[in-house]
Amino acid sequence: MQRIRLAVVGLNFGSWIIENELLQGAGLATMVIVAVCDIDAQKVAKWSTQLGVPGYTDIADVLAQPDVQAVGLFTGPVGRAGLIRQIITSGRDVMTTKPFDGDVVAAQLVLAEACAQRRVVHLNSPAPTLPVDLAQLTTWQKEYDLGQPIAYRATTWCSYREQPNGSWYDDPLLCPAAPLFRLGIYLINDIGWFFAHVVHVDLLQSRIFTQRPTADNAQLSVLYANGAIGSIYASFCIEDQQYYRCALELNFERGTLYRNVGPMAVENNQIQLAVVAVKEGKQHITQTVVPSQGAGYQWEEFQRAILQQQGTSQAYADRIVAGLQIIAGMQQANSDAIVRGM
């Protein structure tokens, strides 16, 4: 299939995307960068020269170029829905990154517009199709007839010692419970494949090492309509070189699913999976290892959806919004904590 002519907008995180996603692997095979854009003219000049493509400091100038077929939007989440509206209204499709937007209503509205206009809007988490690890877990869930969801523990961590830099990372309202908003979003979106209909969210957060005015250690407790209970923990404080594990322990009435639980016994590009189930009174234990999909950008699926003019499905839009609804509960709990002076 023909490569998609992509403009990259936002060259802070977008620089990482160019180097690690678009100049190698599936991104290289399916996308060709035809323009770059950022409000920082120095970043624009660097990548424009290196890639040999036009550079712009205003997204309106990018969208005025007839050669641009789609936009990779890698700005911060604040106001992203408005930028996506601008892009899809111009007749382009969008690949963006998590978290989609901090405003649930704005996200719902722009995704509804994308569905109505048959424009493709994809992001890495939640991905448009099941990643291989979650596909295996859902297969086991059905194969072993695990029954209704009961509980989960979801954890991820790394070791940062960050300094304030005036970005949205420094704002407790724009970046609530920072480890959860920046890293835990992967877990929040993964959980949505198994647990649905959130009715209550509680938040604990603290600041141990970071010099930013935002948390570096945080945990959510989530209650669901069927009585299921879950916890999602994320931290910037843990130095064990077991980074970004995104571990899951999912309990059902007749068994438990595991992803990356316990010390890593495989390579960093592999994921450990297991199921422990009871069937006809007998315990069954199955384990396997599957390849990691890295940051989760499904470039081949993005290419296919654009070329087939598939648009954004309502089911995918609903999955994106479901994760944002948990974040909305987290934001409210975070605002309450700020008011109390915590």
Side-chain angles (χ1 to χ4, degrees):
M1 292 189 288
Q2 69 185 59
R3 295 163 75 193
I4 302 300
R5 301 184 303 278
L6 186 76
V8 177
V9 176
L11 296 175
N12 186 20
F13 182 56
S15 295
W16 186 93
I17 292 289
I18 292 171
E19 292 171 345
N20 295 279
E21 294 280 333
L22 297 173
L23 297 183
Q24 57 185 310
L28 177 61
T30 56
M31 304 288 132
V32 56
I33 302 172
V34 296
V36 292
C37 177
D38 194 280
I39 59 173
D40 187 327
Q42 288 186 330
K43 291 178 181 175
V44 171
K46 172 193 170 183
W47 281 111
S48 176
T49 300
Q50 186 169 330
L51 297 172
V53 299
Y56 305 93
T57 56
D58 189 328
I59 191 172
D61 293 332
V62 174
L63 300 179
Q65 306 308 310
D67 192 42
V68 173
Q69 190 174 3
V71 173
L73 182 64
F74 302 107
T75 58
V78 179
R80 187 183 289 151
L83 291 175
I84 291 174
R85 177 173 291 106
Q86 191 175 348
I87 295 166
I88 63 174
T89 301
S90 77
R92 274 63 173 223
D93 302 292
V94 183
M95 173 69 87
T96 190
T97 190
K98 56 78 188 168
F100 186 82
D101 194 297
D103 186 327
V104 177
V105 173
Q108 286 177 308
L109 290 174
V110 77
L111 286 168
E113 291 179 34
C115 292
Q117 296 177 29
R118 298 190 62 80
R119 299 261 54 109
V120 179
V121 177
H122 284 183
L123 66 160
N124 60 330
S125 178
T129 64
L130 262 175
V132 63
D133 57 330
L134 296 182
Q136 179 61 72
L137 294 180
T138 56
T139 296
W140 282 336
Q141 181 186 11
K142 296 173 184 176
E143 178 184 345
Y144 288 100
D145 187 25
L146 296 185
Q148 70 172 316
I150 302 297
Y152 65 82
R153 273 77 50 209
T155 60
T156 190
W157 57 74
C158 58
S159 180
Y160 294 164
R161 300 295 184 266
E162 296 182 330
Q163 301 293 320
N165 62 0
S167 71
W168 64 275
Y169 290 167
D170 293 341
D171 190 326
L173 293 177
L174 300 181
C175 191
L180 288 164
F181 196 65
R182 291 166 55 186
L183 297 184
I185 184 65
Y186 290 107
L187 295 167
I188 289 170
N189 288 326
D190 288 352
I191 287 297
W193 289 97
F194 305 92
F195 291 75
H197 308 303
V198 174
V199 296
H200 185 72
V201 174
D202 282 327
L203 171 67
L204 289 173
Q205 60 181 322
S206 61
R207 186 167 61 248
I208 299 176
F209 296 120
T210 185
Q211 298 301 305
R212 296 186 189 275
T214 46
D216 57 12
N217 202 38
Q219 179 168 290
L220 279 179
S221 293
V222 187
L223 176 65
Y224 294 83
N226 76 327
I229 295 173
S231 68
I232 304 172
Y233 171 76
S235 181
F236 299 152
C237 300
I238 299 170
E239 171 60 272
D240 65 356
Q241 298 186 10
Q242 301 268 298
Y243 310 136
Y244 314 119
R245 294 289 307 282
C246 285
L248 293 177
E249 190 175 51
L250 309 173
N251 301 120
F252 300 83
E253 59 179 316
R254 289 183 291 276
T256 300
L257 297 171
Y258 298 90
R259 180 182 73 186
N260 286 348
V261 173
M264 283 293 285
V266 295
E267 299 295 329
N268 287 336
N269 61 351
Q270 295 178 310
I271 298 173
Q272 301 169 181
L273 301 175
V275 57
V276 178
V278 174
K279 203 169 185 180
E280 298 178 351
K282 184 178 179 181
Q283 185 185 70
H284 298 261
I285 300 176
T286 302
Q287 301 180 65
T288 191
V289 173
V290 298
S292 169
Q293 287 194 289
Y297 295 92
Q298 296 184 355
W299 297 107
E300 292 175 342
E301 180 64 20
F302 186 53
Q303 175 196 41
R304 186 192 64 78
I306 292 173
L307 294 179
Q308 296 182 7
Q309 299 181 325
Q310 180 178 327
T312 301
S313 72
Q314 188 60 55
Y316 183 42
D318 290 344
R319 288 203 305 275
I320 295 171
V321 171
L324 295 179
Q325 288 171 334
I326 294 182
I327 289 177
M330 182 178 76
Q331 287 172 318
Q332 182 59 55
N334 179 73
S335 298
D336 293 344
I338 292 173
V339 170
R340 293 194 303 269
M342 296 177 63

